[in-house]
PDB file of all heavy atoms in Angstrom:
ATOM      1  N   PRO A 108       3.598   2.131  22.346  1.00  0.00           N
ATOM      2  CA  PRO A 108       4.449   2.115  21.149  1.00  0.00           C
ATOM      3  C   PRO A 108       4.832   3.526  20.718  1.00  0.00           C
ATOM      4  O   PRO A 108       4.097   4.483  20.941  1.00  0.00           O
ATOM      5  CB  PRO A 108       3.558   1.440  20.098  1.00  0.00           C
ATOM      6  CG  PRO A 108       2.168   1.738  20.547  1.00  0.00           C
ATOM      7  CD  PRO A 108       2.208   1.737  22.045  1.00  0.00           C
ATOM      8  N   LYS A 109       6.007   3.607  20.107  1.00  0.00           N
ATOM      9  CA  LYS A 109       6.437   4.877  19.549  1.00  0.00           C
ATOM     10  C   LYS A 109       5.699   5.149  18.236  1.00  0.00           C
ATOM     11  O   LYS A 109       5.176   4.225  17.595  1.00  0.00           O
ATOM     12  CB  LYS A 109       7.954   4.849  19.290  1.00  0.00           C
ATOM     13  CG  LYS A 109       8.788   4.857  20.559  1.00  0.00           C
ATOM     14  CD  LYS A 109      10.271   4.734  20.257  1.00  0.00           C
ATOM     15  CE  LYS A 109      10.664   3.329  19.915  1.00  0.00           C
ATOM     16  NZ  LYS A 109      12.132   3.160  19.767  1.00  0.00           N
ATOM     17  N   LEU A 110       5.662   6.401  17.842  1.00  0.00           N
ATOM     18  CA  LEU A 110       5.119   6.766  16.543  1.00  0.00           C
ATOM     19  C   LEU A 110       6.043   6.246  15.450  1.00  0.00           C
ATOM     20  O   LEU A 110       7.269   6.361  15.549  1.00  0.00           O
ATOM     21  CB  LEU A 110       5.005   8.292  16.441  1.00  0.00           C
ATOM     22  CG  LEU A 110       4.474   8.873  15.123  1.00  0.00           C
ATOM     23  CD1 LEU A 110       2.997   8.520  14.936  1.00  0.00           C
ATOM     24  CD2 LEU A 110       4.667  10.389  15.097  1.00  0.00           C
ATOM     25  N   GLY A 111       5.475   5.644  14.436  1.00  0.00           N
ATOM     26  CA  GLY A 111       6.261   5.202  13.288  1.00  0.00           C
ATOM     27  C   GLY A 111       6.364   6.314  12.257  1.00  0.00           C
ATOM     28  O   GLY A 111       5.416   7.071  12.052  1.00  0.00           O
ATOM     29  N   PHE A 112       7.517   6.421  11.605  1.00  0.00           N
ATOM     30  CA  PHE A 112       7.716   7.449  10.583  1.00  0.00           C
ATOM     31  C   PHE A 112       8.486   6.851   9.417  1.00  0.00           C
ATOM     32  O   PHE A 112       9.610   6.369   9.569  1.00  0.00           O
ATOM     33  CB  PHE A 112       8.479   8.635  11.157  1.00  0.00           C
ATOM     34  CG  PHE A 112       8.746   9.742  10.164  1.00  0.00           C
ATOM     35  CD1 PHE A 112       7.752  10.174   9.297  1.00  0.00           C
ATOM     36  CD2 PHE A 112       9.995  10.347  10.098  1.00  0.00           C
ATOM     37  CE1 PHE A 112       7.990  11.191   8.390  1.00  0.00           C
ATOM     38  CE2 PHE A 112      10.247  11.370   9.195  1.00  0.00           C
ATOM     39  CZ  PHE A 112       9.237  11.798   8.334  1.00  0.00           C
ATOM     40  N   VAL A 113       7.867   6.878   8.238  1.00  0.00           N
ATOM     41  CA  VAL A 113       8.506   6.400   7.018  1.00  0.00           C
ATOM     42  C   VAL A 113       8.741   7.603   6.115  1.00  0.00           C
ATOM     43  O   VAL A 113       7.797   8.298   5.729  1.00  0.00           O
ATOM     44  CB  VAL A 113       7.637   5.343   6.296  1.00  0.00           C
ATOM     45  CG1 VAL A 113       8.322   4.886   5.010  1.00  0.00           C
ATOM     46  CG2 VAL A 113       7.371   4.157   7.216  1.00  0.00           C
ATOM     47  N   TYR A 114      10.003   7.855   5.796  1.00  0.00           N
ATOM     48  CA  TYR A 114      10.379   9.039   5.019  1.00  0.00           C
ATOM     49  C   TYR A 114      10.827   8.639   3.621  1.00  0.00           C
ATOM     50  O   TYR A 114      11.624   7.707   3.449  1.00  0.00           O
ATOM     51  CB  TYR A 114      11.508   9.782   5.729  1.00  0.00           C
ATOM     52  CG  TYR A 114      12.035  10.966   4.949  1.00  0.00           C
ATOM     53  CD1 TYR A 114      11.248  12.093   4.749  1.00  0.00           C
ATOM     54  CD2 TYR A 114      13.316  10.951   4.401  1.00  0.00           C
ATOM     55  CE1 TYR A 114      11.724  13.175   4.026  1.00  0.00           C
ATOM     56  CE2 TYR A 114      13.807  12.029   3.681  1.00  0.00           C
ATOM     57  CZ  TYR A 114      12.999  13.136   3.504  1.00  0.00           C
ATOM     58  OH  TYR A 114      13.470  14.208   2.779  1.00  0.00           O
ATOM     59  N   THR A 115      10.330   9.354   2.622  1.00  0.00           N
ATOM     60  CA  THR A 115      10.712   9.104   1.236  1.00  0.00           C
ATOM     61  C   THR A 115      11.874  10.008   0.858  1.00  0.00           C
ATOM     62  O   THR A 115      11.711  11.216   0.674  1.00  0.00           O
ATOM     63  CB  THR A 115       9.542   9.362   0.275  1.00  0.00           C
ATOM     64  OG1 THR A 115       8.364   8.736   0.776  1.00  0.00           O
ATOM     65  CG2 THR A 115       9.859   8.832  -1.112  1.00  0.00           C
ATOM     66  N   SER A 116      13.055   9.433   0.739  1.00  0.00           N
ATOM     67  CA  SER A 116      14.233  10.165   0.302  1.00  0.00           C
ATOM     68  C   SER A 116      14.441   9.867  -1.185  1.00  0.00           C
ATOM     69  O   SER A 116      13.460   9.866  -1.938  1.00  0.00           O
ATOM     70  CB  SER A 116      15.447   9.749   1.151  1.00  0.00           C
ATOM     71  OG  SER A 116      16.586  10.476   0.820  1.00  0.00           O
ATOM     72  N   GLY A 117      15.649   9.644  -1.635  1.00  0.00           N
ATOM     73  CA  GLY A 117      15.867   9.343  -3.043  1.00  0.00           C
ATOM     74  C   GLY A 117      17.318   9.016  -3.327  1.00  0.00           C
ATOM     75  O   GLY A 117      18.222   9.309  -2.541  1.00  0.00           O
ATOM     76  N   SER A 118      17.563   8.410  -4.480  1.00  0.00           N
ATOM     77  CA  SER A 118      18.900   7.924  -4.826  1.00  0.00           C
ATOM     78  C   SER A 118      19.875   9.040  -5.183  1.00  0.00           C
ATOM     79  O   SER A 118      21.074   8.810  -5.269  1.00  0.00           O
ATOM     80  CB  SER A 118      18.804   6.940  -6.001  1.00  0.00           C
ATOM     81  OG  SER A 118      18.345   7.605  -7.173  1.00  0.00           O
ATOM     82  N   TRP A 119      19.379  10.264  -5.404  1.00  0.00           N
ATOM     83  CA  TRP A 119      20.275  11.369  -5.758  1.00  0.00           C
ATOM     84  C   TRP A 119      21.295  11.653  -4.667  1.00  0.00           C
ATOM     85  O   TRP A 119      22.300  12.313  -4.917  1.00  0.00           O
ATOM     86  CB  TRP A 119      19.464  12.622  -6.066  1.00  0.00           C
ATOM     87  CG  TRP A 119      18.682  12.548  -7.345  1.00  0.00           C
ATOM     88  CD1 TRP A 119      18.810  11.628  -8.333  1.00  0.00           C
ATOM     89  CD2 TRP A 119      17.654  13.449  -7.770  1.00  0.00           C
ATOM     90  NE1 TRP A 119      17.920  11.874  -9.355  1.00  0.00           N
ATOM     91  CE2 TRP A 119      17.198  12.996  -9.036  1.00  0.00           C
ATOM     92  CE3 TRP A 119      17.073  14.586  -7.216  1.00  0.00           C
ATOM     93  CZ2 TRP A 119      16.194  13.653  -9.745  1.00  0.00           C
ATOM     94  CZ3 TRP A 119      16.072  15.241  -7.930  1.00  0.00           C
ATOM     95  CH2 TRP A 119      15.635  14.782  -9.173  1.00  0.00           C
ATOM     96  N   VAL A 120      21.044  11.193  -3.442  1.00  0.00           N
ATOM     97  CA  VAL A 120      21.997  11.430  -2.352  1.00  0.00           C
ATOM     98  C   VAL A 120      23.322  10.715  -2.601  1.00  0.00           C
ATOM     99  O   VAL A 120      24.339  11.068  -1.986  1.00  0.00           O
ATOM    100  CB  VAL A 120      21.418  11.004  -0.986  1.00  0.00           C
ATOM    101  CG1 VAL A 120      20.214  11.856  -0.615  1.00  0.00           C
ATOM    102  CG2 VAL A 120      21.060   9.515  -0.983  1.00  0.00           C
TER     103      VAL A 120
END
Side-chain angles (χ1 to χ4, degrees):
K109 290 176 283 186
L110 179 68
F112 179 44
V113 179
Y114 176 68
T115 313
S116 183
S118 65
W119 290 347
V120 296

